[in-house]
Amino acid sequence: MRTTVSWQADGAATALRRAPLKRRDLRPDDLAIRVDYCGVCHTDLHAVQARESREDGEAGEPLVPGHEFTGVVTETGSEVPGRSEASEGTGFAVGDAVAVGNIVDSCGTCAMCRAGQENFCHAFPTLTYGGADRHDGSTTQGGYSREYVVRSEFAYHLPPGLDPAAAAPLLCAGITVWEPLHALGVGPGTRVAVAGLGGLGHLAVKIAVALGAETSVISRSPDKADDARRLGAHDVIVSTDEDHMAAARDRFDVVIDTIAVPHDLGPYLRLVAMDGTLSHLGHLGPITLETTDLLIGRKRLSSAGSGGRPATAAMLAFCAEHGITADIELLPSSRVNEALDRLRRNDVRYRFVLDMSDLD
């Protein structure tokens, strides 16, 4: 086993502490990656908070969050092809800049995996943390650490020109919004609205604009209007203003809903044009829906989560071509608990990223 240093929650504690972490020895198709920058996602916060409701001793083994990170290859397994030997960007060498997202393995044989949609693996993909390793059944531990060991097929070359700190959130927030925008054919002539201007939403705006769509932001207050326009939005609709919402009825081909708390979908479906789609991304959980909100206008409700390997590589290439990265606040990893607390209070524009170099 290899030993690195991490930020982890033990027992039912929600405060993360610095502690050593064991990583597996490299398998033939593995990479060892020095983690330089790791984004802080709402999923991390939820995973840590979930431990609060458990009794001491019932929370199982320690939790190391983090599933959007960039770093550098420090070692390769014996069967990992070099860059000159491989196709489609699968070859790696020591010193390569790389990125890893929230999926680190899949069955590789089901219909979804064969279609390049490992995120929908019928056997369920192996998650970067809190997942079950497909070889030994151990629980995966995440990127709030100085080293990560990953199967090489689930690491991605970080394109030159992308700032590695600001690019880290692309591996979760970026791919989460890229997948539906791409699948729904967003491009020139498409009218897109993004509900919620947070970690997901601000990247949805940037990507939709770069795809050529006429892009608007839906926000609860006008306070973010200047930010929305700086990101490239053409218009801002205030969701608490009945006149604003009424004027935008049936206007958008695609509404990307990134709101992270339970909410009524009706007002947002009413903004969708005939045969258009509301893609519900921000909140995972039960919803209540009036069927007539879909019926009137033949509207569609969809969702998406993460992306497969081809889509993730394409998203990174697109972002490099268009200079898209997340708007971040970079903190030393020793301030991880502050970052989680501020994220809980929505006190961030728009993504925290941890600098892991202080773990040396």
Side-chain angles (χ1 to χ4, degrees), residues 11-290:
T14 55
L16 274 62
R17 66 181 184 88
R18 179 174 171 145
L21 176 69
K22 296 291 186 182
R23 295 289 192 196
R24 66 176 183 257
D25 290 327
L26 265 65
R27 297 168 185 152
D29 60 347
D30 275 344
L31 300 176
I33 297 171
R34 184 192 72 217
V35 181
D36 291 330
Y37 302 102
C38 188
V40 179
C41 176
H42 264 100
T43 304
D44 303 339
L45 177 61
H46 296 159
V48 172
Q49 286 178 323
R51 304 171 78 86
E52 285 184 311
S53 61
R54 301 174 182 173
E55 305 269 343
D56 266 339
E58 291 185 2
E61 55 193 298
L63 165 72
V64 179
H67 62 200
E68 48 180 43
F69 60 86
T70 58
V72 173
V73 175
T74 58
E75 190 176 344
T76 63
S78 60
E79 294 178 7
V80 175
R83 281 168 294 179
S84 60
E85 308 167 59
S87 59
E88 300 181 0
T90 57
F92 293 93
V94 171
D96 282 351
V98 293
V100 175
N102 62 349
I103 296 171
V104 293
D105 207 353
S106 70
C107 79
T109 59
C110 72
M112 287 297 183
C113 287
R114 294 197 307 272
Q117 294 283 178
E118 294 86 357
N119 50 323
F120 303 137
C121 175
H122 289 172
F124 201 78
T126 301
L127 302 181
T128 310
Y129 68 88
D133 182 88
R134 305 187 102 81
H135 291 265
D136 60 21
S138 61
T139 300
T140 56
Q141 300 288 1
Y144 289 8
S145 60
R146 193 52 163 152
E147 181 179 77
Y148 198 95
V149 175
V150 65
R151 186 179 164 201
S152 64
E153 290 187 349
F154 288 84
Y156 305 91
H157 287 282
L158 186 66
L162 285 182
D163 173 64
L170 297 178
L171 275 294
C172 175
I175 186 59
T176 296
V177 298
W178 166 266
E179 179 114 324
L181 288 168
H182 190 256
L184 294 170
V186 168
T190 309
R191 297 161 300 171
V192 172
V194 177
L197 197 61
L200 288 175
H202 88 288
L203 282 170
V205 171
K206 289 186 178 187
I207 291 173
V209 169
L211 286 166
E214 177 189 301
T215 305
S216 298
V217 166
I218 308 167
S219 180
R220 287 183 53 81
S221 76
D223 294 348
K224 290 186 177 179
D226 289 343
D227 244 12
R229 292 190 171 90
R230 176 184 61 80
L231 294 167
H234 302 90
D235 190 18
V236 177
I237 299 162
V238 179
S239 62
T240 52
D241 186 318
E242 292 183 6
D243 291 337
H244 269 208
M245 294 292 279
R249 182 166 181 168
D250 300 331
R251 176 175 161 188
F252 299 103
D253 304 301
V254 174
V255 175
I256 301 292
D257 181 352
T258 71
I259 300 168
V261 296
H263 58 283
D264 182 7
L265 301 188
Y268 302 97
L269 276 166
R270 289 190 279 277
L271 304 184
V272 176
M274 186 169 178
D275 293 321
T277 301
L278 171 65
S279 186
H280 184 59
L281 305 180
H283 169 65
L284 297 179
I287 60 171
T288 300
L289 183 69
E290 290 292 340

Side-chain angles (χ1 to χ4, degrees), residues 16 38-49 65-68 129 144 169 172-173 197-202 224 258 260-261 282 327-329 331 335-354:
L16 274 62
C38 188
V40 179
C41 176
H42 264 100
T43 304
D44 303 339
L45 177 61
H46 296 159
V48 172
Q49 286 178 323
H67 62 200
E68 48 180 43
Y129 68 88
Y144 289 8
C172 175
L197 197 61
L200 288 175
H202 88 288
K224 290 186 177 179
T258 71
V261 296
D327 287 15
I328 68 168
E329 183 174 343
L331 297 175
R335 293 171 65 185
V336 59
N337 289 305
E338 174 191 338
L340 290 169
D341 180 61
R342 287 179 55 194
L343 182 60
R344 184 182 293 110
R345 295 183 278 113
N346 290 318
D347 179 22
V348 57
R349 289 194 178 179
Y350 285 101
R351 201 72 155 186
F352 285 120
V353 173
L354 303 176

